[in-house]
Amino acid sequence: MTTRIALVDDDLNILTTVSILLESEGFSVSKYSDGEQALNDFAESPPDLAVLDIKMPRMDGMELLNRLRRTSNLPVIFLTSKDDEIDEFLGLKMGADDYVKKPFSQRLLVERIRTVLRRHRVKSGDEEGGEEEVLERGKLRLDSVRHACFWDDQEVTLTVTEFMLLHALAYRPGHVKSRDQLMDAAYDDNIYVDDRTIDSHIKRLRKKIKSVDPEFSAIETLYGVGYRFKDK
């Protein structure tokens, strides 16, 4: 089946040029000029990946992502304003998988889309190279084939990045992972995120698991060093 990309941007020029580019690369494209329209359509027919502008009328990209993350781990790439580090930080903090700055190289955007899709499919077991294993650590069960996380037999919906971070921590319980090591586990070599972004992802992980178990404390912070997972 053809991979469907949703473009959500109020800039008609970007919608037109990027959709032509992606269609020439073999993708099918759904175009939206505001987030509210996109959210309604996603509920009926979710795309394989969404590229979201942040600043849009009616519902901006941040709010759209926030609404999506309540029920979905849909891969999301943000288009951010030039040199706007706040946009990048908030987007990744809220669960975006990647970001591309405007003005952007069209080739770079295509490569980022392919990379995020590949990561998502590998973790979902839909592409060769996925780890055909179930990792169990105490109450935690991570199914790398289905990209599913369970805590005490209750499913917890995670983004691709959150899943990869948790897997990296839980793979060797008791071993400390620095923020740089976690960054390497969750992002490609050509993507740099700062310590605050890793901390934000860990905060989101804890919050999600605490939603099914308020006593969750398996991810420990070692201040100035990093994080570790304990399975007892």
Side-chain angles (χ1 to χ4, degrees):
M1 294 179 62
T2 303
T3 299
R4 184 162 69 92
I5 308 297
L7 292 179
V8 190
D9 199 307
D10 62 332
D11 186 325
L12 180 59
N13 181 58
I14 287 180
L15 286 180
T16 301
T17 58
V18 174
S19 64
I20 291 173
L21 171 71
L22 294 181
E23 286 168 355
S24 73
E25 294 287 333
F27 297 106
S28 66
V29 181
S30 299
K31 297 179 289 186
Y32 303 92
S33 58
D34 69 79
E36 188 173 324
Q37 177 191 4
L39 183 64
N40 291 335
D41 279 9
F42 290 1
E44 298 294 328
S45 179
D48 295 293
L49 179 144
V51 178
L52 311 181
D53 186 27
I54 289 183
K55 297 177 174 64
M56 294 183 293
R58 298 179 66 188
M59 181 186 294
D60 65 18
M62 292 290 190
E63 177 60 22
L64 175 55
L65 177 63
N66 183 48
R67 300 277 289 275
L68 284 172
R69 284 294 175 255
R70 295 175 188 175
T71 59
S72 172
N73 63 352
L74 173 73
V76 169
I77 295 176
F78 262 139
L79 298 180
T80 71
S81 303
K82 184 179 180 181
D83 298 328
D84 198 337
E85 295 181 358
I86 294 177
D87 282 353
E88 297 161 10
F89 171 65
L90 288 177
L92 293 171
K93 178 180 178 181
M94 293 172 65
D97 295 281
D98 203 350
Y99 64 87
V100 176
K101 290 183 179 181
K102 294 181 179 179
F104 53 84
S105 157
Q106 292 188 347
R107 180 53 51 193
L108 173 63
L109 178 60
V110 170
E111 290 305 315
R112 291 288 177 85
I113 287 172
R114 293 192 188 281
T115 297
V116 172
L117 283 170
R118 185 166 58 250
R119 287 167 52 198
H120 185 73
R121 286 167 176 163
V122 165
K123 284 301 174 183
S124 300
D126 296 331
E127 184 172 295
E128 291 185 6
E131 296 177 13
E132 298 186 1
E133 66 168 332
V134 175
L135 180 69
E136 296 193 50
R137 298 289 186 265
K139 295 182 179 181
L140 176 69
R141 186 167 82 254
L142 293 175
D143 186 334
S144 295
V145 175
R146 295 174 51 214
H147 185 222
C149 170
F150 299 88
W151 181 263
D152 203 13
D153 293 327
Q154 298 184 75
E155 187 162 9
V156 182
T157 301
L158 303 180
T159 67
V160 175
T161 302
E162 290 164 354
F163 186 94
M164 294 175 77
L165 286 173
L166 183 55
H167 192 284
L169 285 169
Y171 191 75
R172 291 192 175 184
H175 288 237
V176 179
K177 288 282 187 179
S178 69
R179 289 171 176 81
D180 285 343
Q181 289 173 319
L182 292 174
M183 197 181 305
D184 290 341
Y187 293 93
D188 291 329
D189 292 340
N190 61 340
I191 299 175
Y192 173 79
V193 295
D194 63 21
D195 290 351
R196 295 180 304 165
T197 303
I198 297 298
D199 293 342
S200 295
H201 283 308
I202 296 297
K203 183 178 179 180
R204 285 174 59 85
L205 268 173
R206 286 172 170 154
K207 183 177 180 180
K208 287 184 175 183
I209 301 178
K210 282 184 176 181
S211 70
V212 300
D213 180 4
E215 302 301 316
F216 173 77
S217 60
I219 299 177
E220 295 184 316
T221 302
L222 283 80
Y223 292 98
V225 182
Y227 297 93
R228 70 181 169 196
F229 184 88
K230 58 178 185 178
D231 59 354
K232 294 181 180 181

